[in-house]
Amino acid sequence: MDKNSSNIMALAPNTSNKRETVCIFGTGDFGRALGHKMIQSGYPVVFGSRSAQTSSLIPKGAEVLSHTEAAQKAAIIIIAIQRQHYNFLIPLTEILHGKVLVDVSNNLKINEHPESNAEYLAQLVPGAKVVKAFNTVSAWALQSGTLDASRQVFVCGDDMEAKQMVMNIVRALGLTPLDQGSLLAAQEIENYPLRLFPMWKFPILLSFGLASFFFFYCLIRNVIYPYVYENKDFSFFIAISIPNRICPILALILLALVYLPGVLAAIIQLYRGTKYRRFPDWLDKWMLCRKQLGLVALAFASLHVLYTLVIPIRYFVRWRMSSQIISQVLNNKTEPLDTTNAWLSDSYVALGILGFFLFVLLGITSLPSVSNNVNWREFRFVQSKLGYLTLILCTAHTLVYGGKRFLSPSSYRWYLPNAYMLSLIIPCMVLVVKFVLIFPCLDKPLTRIRQGWERNPQYSEQSHYIINKSAV
Ligand code: NAP
């Protein structure tokens, strides 16, 4: 039979329940894992291999043939072979004409080649319909069935019908196809598995930098200073006291940094009188990683809670309390209850508890399973209104903790203020600017700008139309 007519027949919609044969080139780890999954899902599988012999590793029920023989048996051929070996397909160009070739390959480096592997495959076999898919699923996950975290399969290709056929297979395997458009998207899809937490880079580097700065700051103030001036060894503060200072400081600063870009964006929009102009790149990137910044902040807040819970069982704390009691006994003098201090201490703890509770609530609503179940207005309400309330409570918690110590000269060592005072700078700035932005003289024009109004309409004609991202 004419080879092209057989291809056309194979590509025709399948009206029976019987699944069509799928061919897999390559009997390596990925080819075998995918073949195993396909056989489980009811697809007849035929492998195309350099050595057409079956072995115990080949999934039961699959045939192993030469590339030419295998290709003739199916309309869809999955190329489970590394890109550097694609040249072997050139002599098969005629047989592969009109077939759907599924490129599953990955690279070792981001943008390793000028064109994506899928585009390269399409150039090598011009008559075939190349579809990119499955590259983000690992052989191990396919074989062990642990696909919970990676059910999504990104699919792209220029031929709609071919793409649809591959998406049907993806669905039949119990996975979720995500159409990413034309084959141009393949480069991006091939880069996905190589990315190392791209959105987390900035928050983690920032936290690392801030943590190092505050660690040395506290070390100088709380360990080196008493050693130099009083010859006291407080080096054990490094274990719990200093981390318990750094964690709330970082939590508060990072939480404020979640809201600072929104405030800056509002100022920029008010200044420009339009929302149709791109924000600077750094602000765009900052806004995109606010969720990650918030989650890192929540992690530090949780650590602060844990460190605080162990305070009563610390030897140093128990020693200090017993010394105070003994000194009262020796002096035959009981310290009266200071209600102001009691109020300050209880309010400080209460604000901390409430702040942490809302912080956890914010963290929970940022989980995809929760955020998918709320509408945009509800999400905004939680992330913006409750978020600001969390920031207010946590800032108040720190302010009340400082209490009267702000003005006490003894809290300045080598002219260095207490570390928590530094942590208040950004949150207070954000809250003050946000408060100013609530005034109707600023809020009204800002709301109008965000609804599309322009003070100077020239920008509406510009091509770089960017939707306002500063909502939260
Ligand atoms: P592999 O274990 O190295 O297997 C590749 C197969 O390619 C070999 O078993 C061999 O099959 C065939 N082959 C090797 N050299 C060849 C040549 N010169 N000419 C023709 N065929 C050749 O690789 P793999 O892990 O299965 O990965 C296969 C593809 O899937 C790669 O592009 C990879 O990026 C992609 N992928 C892998 C994973 C994973 O978890 N492993 C995940 C996603 C995507 P025969 O001996 O039968 O000819």
Side-chain angles (χ1 to χ4, degrees), residues 345-389:
S345 148
D346 280 10
S347 317
Y348 145 71
V349 176
L351 286 164
I353 292 171
L354 287 174
F356 183 66
F357 173 75
L358 289 185
F359 217 144
V360 172
L361 208 66
L362 284 179
I364 292 172
T365 48
S366 73
L367 295 173
S369 53
V370 179
S371 58
N372 287 348
N373 284 311
V374 292
N375 64 30
W376 174 236
R377 199 166 170 207
E378 290 162 345
F379 183 76
R380 264 199 61 171
F381 174 79
V382 174
Q383 294 298 326
S384 178
K385 303 282 185 297
L386 287 190
Y388 269 107
L389 188 57

Side-chain angles (χ1 to χ4, degrees), residues 6 227 294 357 392:
S6 80
Y227 186 76
F357 173 75
I392 291 170

Side-chain angles (χ1 to χ4, degrees), residues 69-331:
E69 287 169 325
Q72 280 165 341
K73 291 212 169 197
I76 298 185
I77 301 166
I78 293 166
I79 314 292
I81 289 167
Q82 314 282 354
R83 170 188 167 130
Q84 66 265 31
H85 305 310
Y86 280 4
N87 276 342
F88 86 96
L89 293 167
I90 297 173
L92 305 175
T93 314
E94 260 191 58
I95 295 159
L96 299 177
H97 188 90
K99 305 263 182 190
V100 178
L101 298 190
V102 185
D103 182 286
V104 300
S105 64
N106 280 317
N107 291 319
L108 297 175
K109 279 190 262 161
I110 288 185
N111 296 332
E112 190 175 346
H113 305 282
E115 76 291 88
S116 66
N117 298 346
E119 287 167 307
Y120 173 63
L121 179 62
Q123 284 165 21
L124 279 183
V125 194
K129 300 163 182 183
V130 175
V131 175
K132 180 90 206 175
F134 292 114
N135 68 308
T136 52
V137 183
S138 79
W140 178 79
L142 278 171
Q143 208 137 27
S144 61
T146 48
L147 277 160
D148 287 351
S150 52
R151 280 197 180 276
Q152 294 180 336
V153 173
F154 299 103
V155 183
C156 75
D158 292 335
D159 186 291
M160 281 307 286
E161 197 188 346
K163 198 159 59 172
Q164 207 51 53
M165 287 167 79
V166 176
M167 299 216 303
N168 287 344
I169 295 183
V170 173
R171 271 187 219 104
L173 300 188
L175 306 170
T176 315
L178 285 179
D179 189 347
Q180 299 290 290
S182 76
L183 212 56
L184 279 177
Q187 185 97 326
E188 184 76 10
I189 298 178
E190 284 166 16
N191 285 338
Y192 283 152
L194 296 169
R195 288 202 183 133
L196 190 66
F197 305 119
M199 289 296 166
W200 290 89
K201 224 180 247 172
F202 172 63
I204 288 177
L205 284 178
L206 182 70
S207 336
F208 187 74
L210 284 172
S212 313
F213 169 77
F214 280 107
F215 175 78
F216 288 111
Y217 193 88
C218 293
L219 194 73
I220 292 169
R221 272 186 46 89
N222 303 103
V223 178
I224 299 175
Y225 182 92
Y227 186 76
V228 171
Y229 281 96
E230 298 158 29
N231 204 22
K232 284 182 181 164
D233 178 11
F234 285 141
S235 53
F236 60 89
F237 276 4
I238 289 173
I240 290 186
S241 300
I242 292 183
N244 199 24
R245 254 166 227 195
I246 296 174
C247 287
I249 288 172
L250 258 64
L252 186 59
I253 294 180
L254 293 177
L255 181 64
L257 290 178
V258 171
Y259 293 96
L260 183 57
V263 162
L264 291 177
I267 295 172
I268 291 175
Q269 286 178 332
L270 272 173
Y271 173 73
R272 290 174 173 172
T274 179
K275 71 168 184 175
Y276 298 115
R277 256 181 85 186
R278 263 194 76 113
F279 290 129
D281 273 0
W282 57 268
L283 188 56
D284 253 350
K285 284 185 189 149
W286 187 354
M287 284 200 280
L288 285 176
C289 65
R290 283 180 294 177
K291 175 178 160 179
Q292 287 73 13
L293 269 174
L295 289 175
V296 177
L298 177 58
F300 280 113
S302 310
L303 273 177
H304 172 48
V305 170
L306 290 179
Y307 277 123
T308 306
L309 287 176
V310 302
I311 286 177
I313 59 167
R314 287 180 65 200
Y315 165 75
F316 173 67
V317 175
R318 285 185 287 129
W319 171 83
R320 206 170 51 181
M321 278 172 71
S322 53
S323 306
Q324 279 169 358
I325 294 164
I326 292 166
S327 98
Q328 285 186 40
V329 171
L330 288 177
N331 296 331

